[in-house]
């Protein structure tokens, strides 16, 4: 899982920019794993257990979907606000145009997701 390792490193380095203690050893200690184990997660040579994956998501305050590359949004709060705005826009579409508009929206959304995927 190359995406997981890349995102772990990116998240740790983002935190390290504000607080120098966010080393691989620091994160490993927070997760109760050895530093070499956490380093292997970042390098993509080892996969965390489900329990560790949950702990990683909690530590970095992101969703597991984000960690695994299934979402470009780091957290669910971001997604919820976009969904609310999106639904509001869809509700303004005239009833006779909903199906046609839905197909266009889905195609456009997929294109954006493909364009911005890591």
């Amino acid at each position: 899982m190359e995406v997981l390792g890349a995102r772990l490193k990116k998240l740790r380095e983002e935190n390290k920019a504000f607080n120098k203690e966010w080393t691989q050893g620091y994160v490993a200690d927070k997760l109760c794993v050895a530093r070499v184990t956490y380093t292997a997660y970042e390098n993509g040579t080892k996969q965390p257990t489900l329990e560790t994956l949950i702990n990683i998501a909690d530590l970095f305050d992101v969703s597991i979907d984000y960690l695994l590359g299934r979402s470009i949004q780091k957290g669910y709060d971001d997604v919820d606000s976009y969904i609310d705005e999106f639904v509001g826009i869809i509700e303004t579409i005239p009833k006779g145009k909903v199906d046609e508009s839905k197909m266009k929206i889905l195609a456009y959304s997929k294109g954006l997701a493909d364009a911005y995927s890591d």
Side-chain angles (χ1 to χ4, degrees):
M1 287 196 174
E2 294 174 22
V3 172
L4 174 62
R7 290 199 170 169
L8 288 176
K9 185 174 183 176
K10 179 181 176 192
L11 289 165
R12 182 180 56 77
E13 289 178 346
E14 286 174 356
N15 281 287
K16 192 174 182 182
F18 296 103
N19 184 339
K20 296 295 181 199
E21 72 181 355
W22 280 80
T23 63
Q24 289 179 335
Y26 175 81
V27 174
D29 287 345
K30 292 287 187 184
L31 298 173
C32 300
V33 300
R35 187 199 53 79
V36 294
T37 300
Y38 179 76
T39 300
Y41 298 159
E42 280 194 9
N43 291 334
T45 57
K46 186 171 185 165
Q47 300 303 308
T49 64
L50 179 57
E51 181 180 349
T52 301
L53 193 61
I54 292 167
N55 291 337
I56 291 169
D58 289 345
L59 178 65
F60 288 114
D61 195 27
V62 296
S63 70
I64 291 174
D65 281 347
Y66 175 77
L67 290 174
L68 298 178
R70 294 172 45 94
S71 172
I72 60 173
Q73 300 296 327
K74 288 184 179 179
Y76 292 111
D77 292 340
D78 296 339
V79 174
D80 289 344
S81 67
Y82 291 122
I83 289 172
D84 290 344
E85 183 178 355
F86 192 64
V87 168
I89 292 168
I90 290 173
E91 288 174 344
T92 66
I93 298 171
K95 296 289 184 206
K97 298 287 186 177
V98 170
D99 287 339
E100 176 186 344
S101 298
K102 186 179 3 174
M103 296 304 287
K104 288 179 181 178
I105 290 167
L106 290 173
Y108 180 75
S109 299
K110 179 160 179 19
L112 281 177
D114 290 345
Y116 292 113
S117 64
D118 290 340

